[in-house]
Amino acid sequence: MEGVLDLYFYRRVGFWLAKFFAQLKMTPAAVTWLAGLCGIVAGHLYYYRDLRVNIVGMVLHVCANALDNADGQLARLTHRESREGRIIDSIADHLVFVSIYVHLTLRYLFEGSSPAICLLALAAGVSHALQGAAADYYRSTYLYFVTTRAGTDLDSSSVLRSDYRKLTWRHTPWQKLLLALYLNFTRQQEMLAPRLKMLRGLVGQLFHGEIPDWLRTRYRNLARPMLKWWGLLMTNIRMLVLFALLFISQPVYYFWFELIPLNLLFVYLLFRQEKMAGSLLKRLEPA
């Protein structure tokens, strides 16, 4: 499920940090916001055309990723896993990249670049959001099908909509706002993968969370080869490419990296995953 950088660096550093924060009795949400703050400041430091300042930003960016890894491990270590924690984590991640995109855009605008850079950055940002949403959706679905934790951390827009209506702006404004954002995010995921949404729903109706071994094995065999490619749409590859471009003082090409190679990979993976989901739907329909 995770790349070499995650397994041998972020996971180890994150676990050490999680144990440290547990001793300090910090909540996972507090660690999440600390990670977000480091990432937002890193984005600001990318605004300056000074490599030394940019390097400080890179260090903060790595710290943000390590802390982002630590908050989840802290939640599991202290038995504080929750939907609200996952929502806050997603919001913090989005704020970090909004900071990066905005400050890179301002960097070029104040150097006299064409206002068209705003459209380029916007298109890249939208692409990034869609790619990340789809990658997260397929990752959670893979865990649902191939692990024994079926049903864990797996939300649908219908369930979230029902929970959202139970809350009121008067009594629980913060929780309702978080759930509204999460509901919108989940809708985007389901729109990108309609057949996978149908498959998840059908499996839930037929097996009620008790996924049979034959289906678990079938899904693993079909989906596993694509995991490494979905990994390219996650944070690490973006971060490494951005760092390389900052070192040569050409971060504008980061936007083109999002728009062309990553979008081409994104479309290809969507096609592959939807085709796979369709084949499993045909297999299950007679059941």
Side-chain angles (χ1 to χ4, degrees):
M1 287 299 299
E2 297 183 332
V4 173
L5 190 59
D6 288 310
L7 289 174
Y8 295 100
F9 179 70
Y10 286 123
R11 278 292 173 189
R12 297 183 180 186
V13 173
F15 184 60
W16 180 86
L17 287 172
K19 292 192 293 183
F20 174 71
F21 291 134
Q23 292 178 345
L24 295 180
K25 300 188 183 303
M26 285 184 65
T27 64
V31 177
T32 298
W33 289 123
L34 180 60
L37 178 61
C38 287
I40 290 169
V41 174
H44 172 71
L45 296 180
Y46 296 154
Y47 165 80
Y48 302 97
R49 193 176 273 275
D50 184 326
L51 183 57
R52 293 168 298 180
V53 176
N54 294 164
I55 289 174
V56 175
M58 296 177 205
V59 172
L60 283 174
H61 199 160
V62 172
C63 289
N65 287 349
L67 290 166
D68 185 49
N69 195 293
D71 62 7
Q73 298 198 63
L74 177 62
R76 290 185 287 275
L77 191 65
T78 58
H79 306 291
R80 292 183 178 179
E81 295 175 276
S82 67
R83 176 194 287 168
E84 183 175 323
R86 296 194 302 274
I87 299 172
I88 293 174
D89 186 68
S90 178
I91 293 172
D93 289 343
H94 280 78
L95 290 176
V96 169
F97 276 96
V98 166
S99 175
I100 291 171
Y101 279 78
V102 168
H103 284 100
L104 287 180
T105 303
L106 291 175
R107 172 174 175 155
Y108 280 94
L109 282 176
F110 281 97
E111 288 179 351
S113 295
S114 166
I117 190 70
C118 297
L119 296 178
L120 178 64
L122 179 62
V126 171
S127 298
H128 180 153
L130 294 176
Q131 293 162 13
D136 179 76
Y137 194 59
Y138 285 116
R139 182 181 183 275
S140 63
T141 302
Y142 183 84
L143 290 173
Y144 171 75
F145 275 100
V146 307
T147 71
T148 57
R149 301 174 65 199
T152 303
D153 301 343
L154 189 63
D155 292 309
S156 67
S157 60
S158 58
V159 172
L160 292 173
R161 192 180 303 110
S162 176
D163 292 345
Y164 175 77
R165 289 170 178 167
K166 296 175 183 177
L167 301 175
T168 63
W169 288 109
R170 181 177 179 181
H171 297 101
T172 53
W174 175 243
Q175 289 80 359
K176 194 171 180 69
L177 174 62
L178 290 179
L179 201 55
L181 295 172
Y182 191 45
L183 175 58
N184 182 63
F185 180 70
T186 304
R187 283 172 175 165
Q188 291 178 7
Q189 292 179 316
E190 293 176 347
M191 288 175 62
L192 289 168
R195 287 185 180 177
L196 188 59
K197 174 190 174 184
M198 292 173 59
L199 177 63
R200 285 167 53 149
L202 181 59
V203 167
Q205 292 174 11
L206 293 175
F207 306 114
H208 307 288
E210 298 295 329
I211 299 175
D213 290 338
W214 72 265
L215 180 55
R216 197 184 305 279
T217 301
R218 180 66 174 165
Y219 192 93
R220 180 190 292 111
N221 292 340
L222 290 173
R224 191 171 183 177
M226 288 179 281
L227 284 178
K228 61 181 179 181
W229 299 111
W230 279 112
L232 295 178
L233 298 179
M234 302 301 281
T235 300
N236 288 341
I237 187 65
R238 288 186 171 93
M239 182 186 70
L240 294 175
V241 169
L242 177 59
F243 287 2
L245 292 171
L246 284 167
F247 270 107
I248 62 173
S249 197
Q250 293 295 334
V252 68
Y253 290 109
Y254 174 75
F255 298 148
W256 291 110
F257 174 70
E258 280 283 359
L259 285 173
I260 301 176
L262 290 190
N263 268 341
L264 289 174
L265 177 62
F266 176 49
V267 172
Y268 168 72
L269 289 175
L270 281 180
F271 173 78
R272 284 280 306 272
Q273 291 278 178
E274 285 295 280
K275 184 178 180 180
M276 180 198 73
S279 69
L280 289 174
L281 279 170
K282 291 180 180 179
R283 180 83 178 269
L284 287 171
E285 281 171 355

